[in-house]
Amino acid sequence: MTIFAFCAFSTVFADDSTKQKQSLPSVNVKTLDGKIVNIQEFVKTGHITIMFFWETTCRPSGKGLDNILDIYEDWQKKFNCDLLAISIDDSRNNSKIKPFVNGKGWPYTILTDENMDLARALNIANCPYILIIDQQNNIVYRHYGYVEGLELELEEEMKRLVK
């Protein structure tokens, strides 16, 4: 419950590291079926990739992914983007992820990072945390937290990348 409380009452900030490009590390995550894959397999050159780190117990995470759902299809067409929803639920909550996602009807690629190997490699401690990866596979945007309307900021960042 401590994680939930921190997540629910977290503040929002944009990280200054957005000015420096960083490449995606080579780290293994799992698919919902338990297959081990390298995160780099899901980031396609020429596409914009949104990585949304979330947990089943974090209400702002669920709200953010729900709100993006309303405009995701449009984003895919306009910006040639993919969204990877990466759960950082630990092994105790891992069995809850698939039913949770199925109940939400999210069309995103869902991956799990139960040991937080990817999160640690990216210096992410809590969720929700959002990264945008440009068409050359560089991390160009970081944002911690979620508030209503953040989708507009994400969209502006993607507009900047497709100019």
Side-chain angles (χ1 to χ4, degrees):
M1 290 309 259
T2 305
I3 292 173
F4 170 74
F6 183 81
C7 181
F9 300 108
S10 63
T11 58
V12 177
F13 69 90
D15 191 332
D16 279 340
S17 65
T18 58
K19 294 175 183 132
Q20 278 187 336
K21 291 185 180 180
Q22 174 188 3
S23 60
L24 194 62
S26 177
V27 176
N28 289 334
V29 293
K30 289 183 182 177
T31 65
L32 277 184
D33 297 327
K35 180 181 172 191
I36 297 173
V37 293
N38 190 292
I39 190 63
Q40 292 179 344
E41 294 176 38
F42 292 92
V43 179
K44 302 172 193 152
T45 300
H47 283 236
I48 295 171
T49 303
I50 300 168
M51 296 177 84
F52 196 117
F53 289 82
W54 66 284
E55 288 180 291
T56 56
T57 57
C58 178
R59 288 186 186 170
S61 294
K63 183 69 172 165
L65 287 166
D66 286 344
N67 287 349
I68 289 171
L69 179 62
D70 295 337
I71 52 179
Y72 182 55
E73 191 175 312
D74 188 44
W75 282 1
Q76 288 177 302
K77 291 175 187 169
K78 278 183 177 173
F79 306 116
N80 195 26
C81 76
D82 300 307
L83 191 143
L84 305 177
I86 303 169
S87 168
I88 58 171
D89 281 286
D90 62 22
S91 58
R92 293 178 307 228
N93 287 330
N94 224 5
S95 63
K96 298 175 186 176
I97 298 169
K98 196 170 192 176
F100 185 85
V101 169
N102 290 340
K104 293 285 192 175
W106 292 336
Y108 319 123
T109 299
I110 308 294
L111 301 169
T112 65
D113 185 25
E114 68 185 43
N115 295 324
M116 292 188 65
D117 294 330
L118 178 59
R120 261 192 312 283
L122 293 168
N123 203 26
I124 297 169
N126 295 297
C127 68
Y129 202 100
I130 302 165
L131 302 175
I132 295 180
I133 300 159
D134 70 10
Q135 301 91 324
Q136 292 76 40
N137 299 344
N138 295 304
I139 300 167
V140 295
Y141 175 91
R142 292 174 169 266
H143 190 91
Y144 171 66
Y146 176 78
V147 292
E148 294 282 335
L150 179 62
E151 303 81 24
L152 300 174
E153 185 176 322
L154 297 175
E155 188 165 323
E156 288 302 314
E157 184 65 24
M158 288 187 288
K159 283 179 186 175
R160 188 185 66 72
L161 291 173
V162 296
K163 283 186 178 180

